[in-house]
Amino acid sequence: MGQLSFYNFMKKNRILTALCLLGFVLGNAQSYIPTYATRANQVTQTNINTLLQEFETLGVKKTGTVANDNALQWIKNKYLGFGYTASQIQENPFSYFNGTGTTSSKNLIITKTGTLYPNTFVIICGHFDTITGPGVDDNGSGTAAILEVARILQSVPTEYSIKFIHFSGEEQGLKGSAAYVNDVVNATSPKMNIKLVFNLDQVGGKIGNNNNTIYCDQDQGGLTSNNAASQAVTQQLATCTTLYSPLLTAFDPAYSSDYIPFEQNGEVITGFYEYVRGYLEHTANDTLVNVDKPYVKNVAMAAVGAAQHFAVAQTTLSTTENSISDFDVQVYPIPTPSILNVDFVDTKNQKFEFQILDMTGKLMLNTTKKQMDISSLDNGIYIGKLKIGDRYFQKKIIVKK
Ligand SMILES: [Zn+2]
């Protein structure tokens, strides 16, 4: 290489470097995508509550028990109800020595094939087995959030394939996820290509606490080769959380959940975990009344946003998708002695107005704020009327001092 060509090479290389840097910046700059928000907004509190309630009713889902099998069947039926076909659903049986004999159980895997990268997978996972109690926080909460993601994305094209995986055997030491990595990921030829693993475990929060933050789990240990990539996707997870849910984010090290066998296999991992812990996991008190249901809903919204980002979902709404009709308006607390909150996400950022009428239809209050003091109203029942753009929502309000 002569001097001149070397100079030219350097010049070219600098441009390449600049392009790479630009690409790096662009690649990480996650702009708000209104369609992603519309889909995140399709998570409903009613669905979350129903899923958590049903999860509780399934009882103590200890690995190897009938209740554990019933839970797997319940999850499978949810997917069939969402429109996934039997050919998309697989069971992955595994067994392990429990000290005195063999315990057998199954993981459940649902595959949604990508349009551009069908052989590269975004894994969205969480365990459904519990121990001692019904495990509504650990891990009915993650299970409910994953089910909402799967429901909302069922008909949404994504560039990457998604595998929704519900692991069993987590409480016995990550038995199900370890078996899956060994028997499926590494036994596939060529080895399964995994873009990243996004694990949701224990996202129910602490009841009575203002749960406004979620931990985004970073790989800071184990193999060092995959740490930097985990930091990058965990940052993206945090950004998605901010863009598509009301939650704030914090970072913590990934540990002791189903992403760990993947981490040890060199995969890129991330996850969600409750920021303020209820500390009721693995007890009989890990029940519905002790879980912050709106928090689980917010986590599910963040997960819908992140899943779309990771799998690169179509950015236009298809005709088969629910539109803004799934607007979820929350008015709380009810009853209230004074402060009333109105909450909703409007991706179009339209003007809104909130009115309170008495039972005769007389206008008592008119505001454009999401929080108001209604302590001047007499005890009784009122109608709250929310107008967003040209749409109306009505909610019953009770004033009780
Ligand atoms: Zn757990």
Side-chain angles (χ1 to χ4, degrees):
M1 191 181 285
Q3 215 178 348
L4 190 64
S5 58
F6 179 70
Y7 170 73
N8 276 337
F9 169 76
M10 284 305 286
K11 210 167 82 175
K12 208 170 163 186
N13 200 32
R14 270 164 71 182
I15 293 166
L16 275 175
T17 305
L19 279 174
C20 286
L21 279 172
L22 183 67
F24 180 75
V25 170
L26 287 176
N28 283 288
Q30 288 162 250
S31 53
Y32 174 81
I33 297 172
T35 307
Y36 286 9
T38 300
R39 294 187 187 119
N41 198 44
Q42 287 169 11
V43 174
T44 76
Q45 191 65 66
T46 306
N47 286 347
I48 292 291
N49 295 359
T50 303
L51 290 166
L52 294 176
Q53 173 67 68
E54 291 177 2
F55 192 85
E56 178 173 85
T57 305
L58 287 158
V60 183
K61 296 160 280 289
K62 192 177 175 190
T63 306
T65 63
V66 172
N68 181 280
D69 276 347
N70 290 344
L72 181 127
Q73 196 57 50
W74 171 77
I75 297 169
K76 191 196 277 188
N77 286 337
K78 290 291 171 195
Y79 280 91
L80 292 169
F82 299 155
Y84 290 87
T85 61
S87 66
Q88 289 178 279
I89 304 174
Q90 288 160 315
E91 290 178 358
N92 166 225
F94 65 92
S95 52
Y96 60 94
F97 182 65
N98 62 27
T100 53
T102 300
T103 299
S104 297
S105 189
K106 287 181 272 186
N107 301 315
L108 188 71
I109 301 105
I110 292 81
T111 306
K112 175 177 162 56
T113 304
T115 54
L116 218 52
Y117 310 104
N119 297 318
T120 304
F121 298 91
V122 170
I123 291 180
I124 302 172
C125 59
H127 71 93
F128 68 91
D129 65 298
T130 76
I131 194 159
T132 312
V136 179
D137 182 19
D138 183 18
N139 184 30
S141 58
T143 303
I146 295 167
L147 285 169
E148 275 294 81
V149 175
R151 176 182 70 82
I152 291 162
L153 296 189
Q154 191 273 330
S155 65
V156 177
T158 56
E159 292 186 4
Y160 290 86
S161 289
I162 300 177
K163 279 186 189 288
F164 299 103
I165 308 185
H166 299 267
F167 289 117
S168 184
E170 196 266 357
E171 302 292 6
Q172 285 72 32
L174 318 178
K175 300 293 187 196
S177 49
Y180 182 77
V181 169
N182 193 53
D183 302 345
V184 182
V185 173
N186 293 344
T188 308
S189 183
K191 177 194 158 290
M192 187 188 291
N193 190 18
I194 297 173
K195 188 183 181 202
L196 63 99
V197 176
F198 171 27
N199 184 64
L200 292 92
D201 195 0
Q202 217 174 307
V203 292
K206 180 182 165 69
I207 197 72
N209 180 66
N210 174 28
N211 299 296
N212 61 3
T213 306
I214 186 79
Y215 264 137
C216 301
D217 312 335
Q218 288 178 330
D219 176 7
Q220 297 174 1
L223 302 177
T224 51
S225 55
N226 50 3
N227 287 9
S230 168
Q231 313 259 321
V233 297
T234 305
Q235 182 56 58
Q236 291 171 31
L237 176 65
T239 304
C240 286
T241 301
T242 312
L243 291 176
Y244 303 113
S245 87
L247 294 173
L248 304 171
T249 58
F251 297 94
D252 73 335
Y255 71 102
S256 192
S257 189
D258 287 314
Y259 39 32
I260 295 301
F262 291 92
E263 193 281 334
Q264 289 166 353
N265 204 46
E267 314 297 346
V268 179
I269 65 162
T270 192
F272 274 155
Y273 194 86
E274 61 196 8
Y275 181 65
V276 175
R277 290 177 66 175
Y279 286 107
L280 293 172
E281 69 273 14
H282 312 161
T283 74
N285 290 325
D286 187 357
T287 55
L288 186 61
V289 291
N290 290 323
V291 162
D292 181 346
K293 298 188 280 290
Y295 184 57
V296 179
K297 185 212 164 198
N298 291 339
V299 170
M301 289 178 73
V304 172
Q308 293 178 90
H309 170 71
F310 290 144
V312 191
Q314 186 171 285
T315 55
T316 52
L317 276 186
S318 64
T319 49
T320 50
E321 286 181 69
N322 295 328
S323 69
I324 206 142
S325 63
D326 272 348
F327 233 70
D328 188 19
V329 176
Q330 294 170 66
V331 178
Y332 63 95
I334 291 171
T336 178
S338 55
I339 301 298
L340 186 73
N341 302 283
V342 180
D343 222 345
F344 58 89
V345 178
D346 176 16
T347 57
K348 292 183 191 162
N349 254 321
Q350 303 166 98
K351 271 192 181 169
F352 76 93
E353 194 180 8
F354 188 72
Q355 297 180 334
I356 296 180
L357 306 123
D358 71 9
M359 294 306 282
T360 69
K362 186 179 162 198
L363 183 64
M364 309 300 287
L365 184 136
N366 198 354
T367 181
T368 53
K369 294 201 170 77
K370 284 188 171 180
Q371 187 174 75
M372 65 210 81
D373 184 349
I374 57 169
S375 57
S376 63
L377 296 180
D378 291 333
N379 283 350
I381 299 171
Y382 297 84
I383 300 159
K385 209 170 179 182
L386 176 68
K387 183 173 186 269
I388 309 171
D390 58 357
R391 299 169 50 82
Y392 286 93
F393 302 87
Q394 280 193 195
K395 299 272 174 181
K396 190 167 81 175
I397 294 161
I398 301 167
V399 178
K400 195 176 171 192
K401 285 173 256 193

